[in-house]
Amino acid sequence: MNQTPESLLVDARGLSCPQPAILTRQAISQAAGRVLEILVDAIAQRDNVIRVAVKEGWSAVPEETADGRIRIRLTK
Amino acid sequence: MLRPLRAMFQPQDCPDLMVGIGCLDDAAVYRLDSERALIFTTDFFTPVVDDPYDYGAIAAANALSDVYAMGGAPLLALNLAAFPARLPAEILGQVLMGMADMVKQAGAVVAGGHTIQDEEPKVGLCVAGMVHPDKLLTKGGVQPGDQLVLTKPLGTGLITTAAKMDLADREDVDEAIQWMRRLNRAAGKTAADLDLRGGTDVTGFGLLGHAWEMAEASRVTLKVFFEAVPFMNGVVRYADQGLFPGGTASNYTAYSKRIHFAEYLNEDQKMLLFDAQTSGGLLLAVPQEKMGEFSNMMEFHGEKCWIIGEAVGREAGIQVI
């Protein structure tokens, strides 16, 4: 996980379920007020990450990146 | 993927093929004469549990299940195995023993097989079985009014995934292994004895994925009662931790838009109904007047069954309430 002061990036590309969802849960517990950005590369992973985030009370906005991957922006 | 093959094998060229790639079901069925049809099927997969014997037993129960899901009885099986050279041969021996014990329990025989070297283990069976051509159990045989019955609880996808990540309780894993090793023999025999027509087994597409196939093939609306669906111990907790495997997530993505869920069901509850099963139970359509007898016969065989819904209308669809 790379960190910047205002956002926490989780690169879950190449990982299969449930790894991206588990990493998202960990990131949520360490977010400390920061925005989270989760990178995944398939729709099933995207949906799993969003499901976990929404359950924890976060809002999730997915967008497709230039290289065809998916970036999910999570805000509390 | 099979579409180009359909053009090569036209139904009029193989009139005795009762079930093939033109109308996919759990297994291929070929009419031999007016009294007998051959059921032919294969299935294999990578390890789902640590113990080699259990892995073999589960792979065999899973492959044999396709014969039961067509209303038939297995006759003979061939082992299929891909195995890494770096692992000791005794491990493969235990896997094959697990498979053989289940084939024997099914009243069939292991008649041969084939093993190749491969990095990741894969095992399974090719199974031939027999059924009366007029007594097929198919996905298209459901009638409005039928009760929808499930013969094993759900959750093997979540539990085996949690186990792989060392997040599962031993007792939960053991329970899941017992269910996965259980043959669908008694359920299949009961379905055949009662002349049932609609049925399939619940495997990789999850309960709702396979229920959807039945609803579509039978052109019926299936109503599923969430509270009536049985789950294995621990499953709800693993779901809460987000431990759904890739197959479950893909099922949800592929099928959920076609299914009408009551508003009070949450996302975890919906996902649970899509959990990808290994060696799951049979999903059977039982006419109401046969339901009592079906339950009694299953109890007689020492098997469980749950009424989880019913077929209500003449339009392909699923409602979960």
Side-chain angles (χ1 to χ4, degrees), chain B residues 16-312:
Chain B
D16 287 320
L17 184 66
M18 300 176 69
V19 179
I21 52 177
C23 55
L24 289 172
D25 212 292
D26 299 301
V29 182
Y30 193 91
R31 188 188 293 108
L32 299 174
D33 53 39
S34 61
E35 300 284 311
R36 297 176 309 159
L38 181 75
I39 301 175
F40 201 32
T41 182
T42 185
D43 211 331
F44 58 92
F45 46 64
T46 54
V48 286
V49 293
D50 291 334
D51 182 79
Y53 181 93
D54 283 339
Y55 170 37
I58 291 166
N62 184 72
L64 290 158
S65 176
D66 285 332
V67 173
Y68 298 125
M70 295 306 296
L75 289 178
L76 75 159
L78 303 175
N79 293 326
L80 300 172
F83 211 69
R86 64 187 148 79
L87 288 181
E90 300 86 71
I91 305 263
L92 179 58
Q94 289 169 33
V95 175
L96 295 180
M97 189 53 73
M99 291 210 288
D101 277 346
M102 295 311 284
V103 171
K104 185 144 195 158
Q105 211 184 100
V109 59
V110 175
H114 186 63
T115 303
I116 61 164
Q117 279 188 11
D118 196 359
E119 267 311 295
E120 192 176 20
K122 299 163 193 80
V123 300
L125 295 173
C126 180
V127 187
M130 205 64 92
V131 64
H132 193 286
D134 300 334
K135 296 202 159 202
L136 281 188
L137 189 63
T138 64
K139 292 173 184 170
V142 188
Q143 296 294 330
D146 286 353
Q147 304 285 290
L148 204 55
V149 175
L150 182 65
T151 67
K152 287 184 190 179
L154 305 179
T156 68
L158 268 167
I159 293 176
T160 55
T161 304
K164 277 179 190 164
M165 313 191 76
D166 272 333
L167 292 169
D169 288 350
R170 191 65 238 175
E171 305 85 74
D172 296 341
V173 179
D174 286 343
E175 187 201 355
I177 288 172
Q178 290 315 311
W179 280 113
M180 288 189 284
R181 282 180 49 167
R182 209 179 182 97
L183 288 175
N184 282 327
R185 183 185 195 181
K189 184 174 180 346
T190 305
D193 288 348
L194 289 180
D195 241 346
L196 303 188
R197 284 292 164 270
T200 188
D201 58 352
V202 178
T203 52
F205 295 147
L207 173 69
L208 290 184
H210 292 286
W212 173 262
E213 290 180 336
M214 282 174 93
E216 202 177 32
S218 300
R219 301 213 157 275
V220 292
T221 304
L222 298 177
K223 193 184 265 189
V224 175
F225 312 121
F226 181 83
E227 290 298 328
V229 178
F231 295 103
M232 293 176 197
N233 283 321
V235 162
V236 172
R237 189 156 40 90
Y238 304 133
D240 188 49
Q241 293 170 42
L243 297 177
F244 290 106
T248 302
S250 303
N251 291 340
Y252 183 90
T253 303
Y255 289 101
S256 62
K257 288 202 174 65
R258 305 179 215 176
I259 288 163
H260 186 267
F261 290 100
E263 277 173 20
Y264 50 80
L265 294 168
N266 65 39
E267 290 298 300
D268 278 0
Q269 291 172 322
K270 295 178 195 172
M271 278 289 274
L272 282 169
L273 299 178
F274 284 109
D275 190 38
Q277 301 299 287
T278 299
S279 189
L282 295 189
L283 179 61
L284 298 167
V286 183
Q288 259 167 3
E289 68 275 13
K290 294 182 179 176
M291 197 55 237
E293 204 176 347
F294 181 88
S295 300
N296 289 341
M297 287 171 78
M298 286 292 277
E299 202 181 329
F300 172 79
H301 289 301
E303 295 283 337
K304 293 196 170 173
C305 65
W306 294 264
I307 301 173
I308 60 157
E310 59 192 356
V312 291

Side-chain angles (χ1 to χ4, degrees), chain A residues 13-62:
Chain A
R13 291 176 297 181
L15 300 178
S16 55
C17 294
Q19 297 286 2
I22 289 170
L23 293 178
T24 301
R25 272 170 63 98
Q26 285 172 2
I28 281 174
S29 68
Q30 298 160 9
R34 282 171 296 182
V35 168
L36 301 180
E37 291 195 326
I38 321 287
L39 294 176
V40 296
D41 41 21
I43 291 170
Q45 279 87 322
R46 177 197 70 187
D47 292 351
N48 243 4
V49 165
I50 293 175
R51 202 160 21 240
V52 163
V54 168
K55 201 160 72 178
E56 299 289 333
W58 290 61
S59 16
V61 180

